[in-house]
């Protein structure tokens, strides 16, 4: 039997106004004084408490409980009288049962203010959104344990304002979070919580300095994910710098020979003349050593325009070309359309019905537009493959060769034959992948030297950044510690922010993130 059932006698139960009301009183039992612990049964008086409990049958429940006020007969106790509390039913200064109070706090943790208020209204325990948040903030946070392995990462609060999240990498539970990502705050937290042995972080200089100041004996681990992310970004920069080489990845028929007259006509268009003049003007300024900003001011151009022409190797790269049309669901049936047209079938409706029978699911209008050139004696406009974007080429290069599609493999083969710089970049990426897979950091110095001597500025800057943080990079490559837990908790934190429409302050966000993790641990 529950303790509160043994200590309470129910006298009456009735329903009025859609509310279940229960009249009860406590039994004549001895009760311990909350200060000295001495048990007493000498009654001073009785009074009635009204408690709200969880709903029964879709009806709210109110308990009218008659409780005693008792004397404390201990001569050394400063309390003369005290009110008895029924375990599991009453709490001092609270007008809800512990079960209902737990329900209110859980709704606040799960759904915050407005969502929690809606849920409690459905559960027949109506509260305003501010009351839900009030009870949520009253919930005590667990004491901050000192982790052996600590994860540190930043997250965006709003606009350009960032925060810092600390995670226990072994228990996978968040520990603390605050606004800002400066070294002083992290160092102060580490000094107040000594005992951290390993800290997993990204390549941030701020966190590196904070860990060095606050826990100089802790081993710093630069996560492999962030290393790979930084390398992928540099590969994208290299592909963007060699944008003119990317069309080589697309197979095209051999171009027909162009006569000098046709070439002069092409170069004599207004757009081409304008591009050629701008190219010569920009390079005349930038080749003399002046900056892009100075060239933009002198030529009266936008800085982005100056940068585009300064990066181009020839003026033809700056001419806007006609983009090939995208492939459509009709492309597999174009040869059949051409064949039926030559056989004498020129009705678009009949052609559409025949294609539908063959599995085509498109609209009749698309077939009508496809055969329009044939009515004018022109060939059907066949699709041409678009050149890959720099981001797509970077994805091809970073993908393991065994997992590349045939299209990506053939595109890279043609691209590497045309661009040795991208071929060299691919070799360096594969070397780095082998180091990560083998957990071997002995080849890292030689690999960094190859980055420096590759004469590719993005890779040279990456090599410089890794050398400044080389011990942490080696730990990240050889130890099992990583920032995967941090990234998962950051994702969960962003979800909690979205639930509160991005309006949560740091204290409320801290409560929800920490208590949500504990709630999921208890109720997986």
């Amino acid at each position: 039997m529950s303790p509160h059932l043994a200590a309470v006698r129910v006298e009456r139960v009735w329903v009025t106004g859609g509310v279940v009301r229960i009249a009860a009183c406590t039994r004549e039992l001895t009760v311990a004084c909350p200060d000295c612990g001495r048990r007493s049964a000498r009654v001073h008086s009785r009074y009635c408490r009204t408690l709200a409990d969880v709903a029964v049958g879709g009806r709210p429940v109110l308990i009218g409980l008659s409780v005693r006020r008792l004397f404390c007969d201990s001569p050394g106790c400063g309390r003369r009288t005290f009110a008895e509390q029924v375990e599991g039913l009453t709490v001092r200064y609270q007008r809800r049962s512990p079960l209902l109070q737990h329900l209110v706090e859980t709704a606040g943790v799960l759904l915050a203010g407005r969502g929690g208020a809606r849920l409690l209204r459905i559960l027949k325990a109506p509260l305003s959104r501010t009351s839900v948040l009030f009870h949520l903030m009253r919930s005590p946070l667990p004491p901050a344990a000192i982790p052996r392995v600590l994860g540190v990462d930043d997250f965006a609060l709003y606009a350009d304002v960032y925060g810092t999240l600390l995670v226990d990498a072994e228990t996978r539970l968040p520990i603390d979070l605050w606004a800002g990502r400066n070294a002083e705050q992290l160092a102060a937290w580490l000094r107040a919580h000594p005992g951290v042995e390993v800290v997993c972080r990204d390549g941030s200089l701020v966190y590196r300095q904070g860990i060095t100041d606050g826990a100089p004996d802790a081993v710093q681990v630069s996560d492999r994910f962030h290393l790979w992310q930084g390398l992928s970004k540099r590969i994208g920069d290299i592909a963007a710098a060699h944008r003119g080489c990317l069309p080589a990845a697309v197979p095209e028929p051999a171009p027909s020979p162009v006569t000098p007259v046709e070439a002069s006509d092409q170069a004599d268009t207004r757009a081409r003349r304008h591009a050629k003049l701008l190219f010569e003007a920009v390079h005349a300024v930038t080749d003399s050593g002046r900056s892009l900003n100075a060239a933009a001011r002198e030529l009266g151009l936008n800085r982005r325009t100056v940068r585009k022409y300064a990066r181009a190797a020839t003026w033809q790269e700056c001419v806007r070309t006609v983009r090939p049309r995208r492939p459509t669901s009709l492309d597999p049936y174009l040869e059949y359309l051409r064949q039926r047209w030559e056989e004498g079938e020129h009705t678009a409706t009949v052609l559409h019905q025949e294609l539908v029978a063959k599995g085509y699911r498109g609209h009749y209008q698309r077939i009508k537009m496809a055969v329009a050139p044939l009515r004018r004696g022109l060939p059907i406009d066949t699709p041409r493959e678009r050149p890959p974007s720099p981001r797509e080429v970077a994805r091809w290069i970073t993908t393991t060769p065994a997992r590349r599609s045939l299209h990506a493999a053939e595109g890279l083969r043609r691209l590497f034959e045309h661009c040795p710089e991208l071929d060299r970049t691919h070799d360096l990426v594969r070397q780095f992948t082998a180091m990560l897979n083998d957990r071997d950091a002995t080849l890292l110095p030689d690999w960094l030297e190859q980055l420096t001597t590759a004469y590719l500025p993005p890779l040279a800057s990456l090599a410089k950044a890794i050398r400044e943080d080389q011990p942490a990079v080696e730990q990240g490559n050889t130890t099992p510690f990583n920032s995967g837990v941090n990234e998962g908790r950051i994702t969960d934190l962003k979800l909690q922010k979205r639930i509160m429409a991005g309006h949560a302050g740091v204290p409320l966000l801290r409560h929800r993130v920490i208590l949500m993790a504990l709630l999921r641990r208890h109720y997986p």
Side-chain angles (χ1 to χ4, degrees), residues 141-147 174-176 189 192-193 514:
L141 293 177
I146 300 177
I175 301 173
D176 201 355
W189 191 94
H193 301 81
I514 295 177

Side-chain angles (χ1 to χ4, degrees), residues 367-444:
I367 295 180
K368 181 180 177 181
M369 295 174 61
V371 299
L374 295 177
R375 298 186 187 279
R376 300 192 299 270
L378 301 175
I380 292 181
D381 184 19
T382 56
R384 291 177 293 166
E385 185 178 353
R386 287 186 174 187
S389 65
R391 179 179 296 182
E392 189 175 4
V393 171
R395 185 169 63 250
W396 289 354
I397 292 176
T398 54
T399 302
T400 305
R403 301 184 62 181
R404 288 178 190 150
S405 64
L406 180 61
H407 171 71
E410 289 296 320
L412 282 180
R413 180 186 61 78
R414 289 187 291 267
L415 188 59
F416 293 159
E417 292 176 355
H418 184 269
C419 185
E421 289 82 5
L422 289 176
D423 189 15
R424 176 61 174 158
T425 302
H426 176 262
D427 292 340
L428 293 172
V429 170
R430 298 273 63 84
Q431 293 180 32
F432 186 70
T433 305
M435 280 191 290
L436 291 183
N437 292 339
D438 299 338
R439 297 288 182 88
D440 183 11
T442 57
L443 301 177
L444 183 61

Side-chain angles (χ1 to χ4, degrees), residues 207-372:
Y207 290 147
R208 184 196 314 173
Q209 185 62 42
I211 298 168
T212 303
D213 296 342
D217 296 332
V219 177
Q220 300 189 36
V221 178
S222 185
D223 184 51
R224 294 184 294 276
F225 165 76
H226 292 96
L227 292 175
W228 185 257
Q229 188 180 49
L231 178 61
S232 301
K233 182 179 181 301
R234 266 59 173 210
I235 296 170
D237 295 341
I238 294 173
H242 292 79
R243 189 184 297 270
C245 301
L246 302 188
V250 179
E252 291 188 2
S256 58
V258 181
T259 63
V261 176
E262 293 176 347
S264 62
D265 290 341
Q266 291 180 359
D268 207 25
T269 62
R270 182 177 179 181
R272 289 175 169 266
R273 288 198 304 270
H274 179 71
K276 186 175 181 180
L277 290 175
L278 279 184
F279 178 82
E280 294 173 352
V282 169
H283 276 268
V285 178
T286 56
D287 291 348
S288 62
R290 276 175 284 183
S291 65
L292 297 180
N293 288 331
R297 286 193 298 268
E298 180 176 340
L299 299 174
L301 299 174
N302 187 281
R303 187 182 182 278
R304 293 182 179 179
T305 303
V306 174
R307 182 178 61 184
K308 181 181 76 170
Y309 280 89
R311 288 182 174 180
T314 61
W315 64 268
Q316 287 86 350
E317 296 179 17
C318 305
V319 179
R320 180 177 298 178
T321 58
V322 178
R323 304 179 72 177
R325 77 168 179 86
R326 294 182 178 179
T328 67
S329 58
L330 184 60
D331 294 341
Y333 306 96
L334 292 179
E335 186 60 33
Y336 178 80
L337 281 178
R338 187 182 296 108
Q339 177 183 347
R340 292 290 291 132
W341 187 272
E342 293 174 354
E343 292 174 357
E345 183 56 67
H346 297 170
T347 306
T349 305
V350 176
L351 293 174
H352 176 256
Q353 293 173 354
E354 294 179 2
L355 292 185
V356 168
K358 289 182 172 292
Y360 175 66
R361 297 179 179 273
H363 196 267
Y364 152 78
Q365 192 68 24
R366 179 164 291 177
I367 295 180
K368 181 180 177 181
M369 295 174 61
V371 299

Side-chain angles (χ1 to χ4, degrees), residues 16 48 55 79 107 140 154 209 240 281 292 321 326 373 406 450 516:
T16 177
C48 186
R79 184 186 293 271
D154 61 347
Q209 185 62 42
L292 297 180
T321 58
R326 294 182 178 179
L406 180 61
Q450 293 185 57
M516 178 71 77

